[in-house]
Amino acid sequence: MKKYTNEEIIEEFQNFSQDKQSLILSTTNKENTPLTSYSPFVENENNYYICISSLLPHYKNMIETKKTHVLIIEDESKAAHIYARKRLYFNAKCENVDNEEDIFKLFDNRYADQLSFLRTMKDFKIIKLIPFEKSLVLGFGAAYKMGTDGKLGQKAINHK
């Protein structure tokens, strides 16, 4: 079990999602029926942005409830152990983005022409995901949290 310094943990929080191409979204409708999906994403100023069709149920869930849970996880083929996949997760507030062009430019920078067709699809909308406290798991016994203030804390997990 590796021991991480605070500097290493902060760096992992800051850089974890750079090599990940999509995130997993968990939403619920007004009746609390769960729904899970995924989306490509970009980051800007500690927020995450996704572009999804307004015709799909998870879009409606996020707009109605204004919340989602996000999971960004290491590819299992790269993990040292299936139970110890590195992962970042957090609850987030959801907001529609009015000035979509600035965010589309971020998508272009990250994904090149792969997602440029989304601009022409009128049902696709950009949603801003504003994280609350984030959790980061780097392996067995290496689970950390970071508040919106940037302060670190270790998650207390007492396995029996």
Side-chain angles (χ1 to χ4, degrees):
M1 175 169 64
K2 180 181 176 180
K3 292 287 184 189
Y4 291 88
T5 66
N6 283 352
E7 292 78 20
E8 288 174 317
I9 297 165
I10 290 169
E11 186 175 334
E12 286 284 344
F13 267 105
Q14 293 171 341
N15 298 321
F16 183 78
S17 59
Q18 287 183 354
D19 65 341
K20 315 298 185 289
Q21 298 296 306
S22 62
L23 53 74
I24 299 167
L25 299 161
S26 294
T27 65
T28 60
N29 60 20
K30 287 183 177 179
E31 292 79 37
N32 287 322
T33 303
L35 178 66
T36 302
S37 188
Y38 76 97
S39 178
F41 69 97
V42 294
E43 291 178 72
N44 190 37
E45 298 179 359
N46 298 318
N47 296 306
Y48 296 75
Y49 295 84
I50 59 173
C51 186
I52 60 175
S53 172
S54 59
L55 304 176
L56 297 176
H58 52 277
Y59 175 86
K60 183 178 179 185
N61 289 353
M62 286 187 281
I63 297 307
E64 287 181 353
T65 67
K66 305 282 188 230
K67 59 186 176 181
T68 188
H69 187 267
V70 172
L71 171 67
I72 303 171
I73 190 164
E74 175 183 38
D75 187 293
E76 60 189 39
S77 67
K78 296 178 182 177
H81 191 283
I82 194 66
Y83 272 116
R85 289 169 69 185
K86 294 178 181 179
R87 56 203 177 269
L88 175 71
Y89 59 94
F90 52 87
N91 289 318
K93 178 181 174 186
C94 304
E95 293 180 356
N96 268 324
V97 172
D98 293 327
N99 186 4
E100 293 184 335
E101 189 54 34
D102 290 343
I103 305 304
F104 275 125
K105 287 177 185 175
L106 295 174
F107 274 97
D108 290 344
N109 289 340
R110 184 158 196 212
Y111 298 98
D113 290 337
Q114 202 174 17
L115 301 177
S116 60
F117 71 94
L118 295 176
R119 275 187 176 88
T120 63
M121 300 183 75
K122 300 301 178 196
D123 60 303
F124 273 75
K125 305 293 180 196
I126 293 180
I127 296 180
K128 178 180 183 180
L129 307 176
I130 305 164
F132 296 107
E133 179 181 86
K134 293 180 181 179
S135 294
L136 179 66
V137 177
L138 297 174
F140 290 114
Y144 307 95
K145 59 185 175 182
M146 180 181 280
T148 55
D149 59 2
K151 291 186 179 178
L152 288 178
Q154 179 129 17
K155 295 188 84 142
I157 301 172
N158 298 317
H159 295 291
K160 296 181 181 188

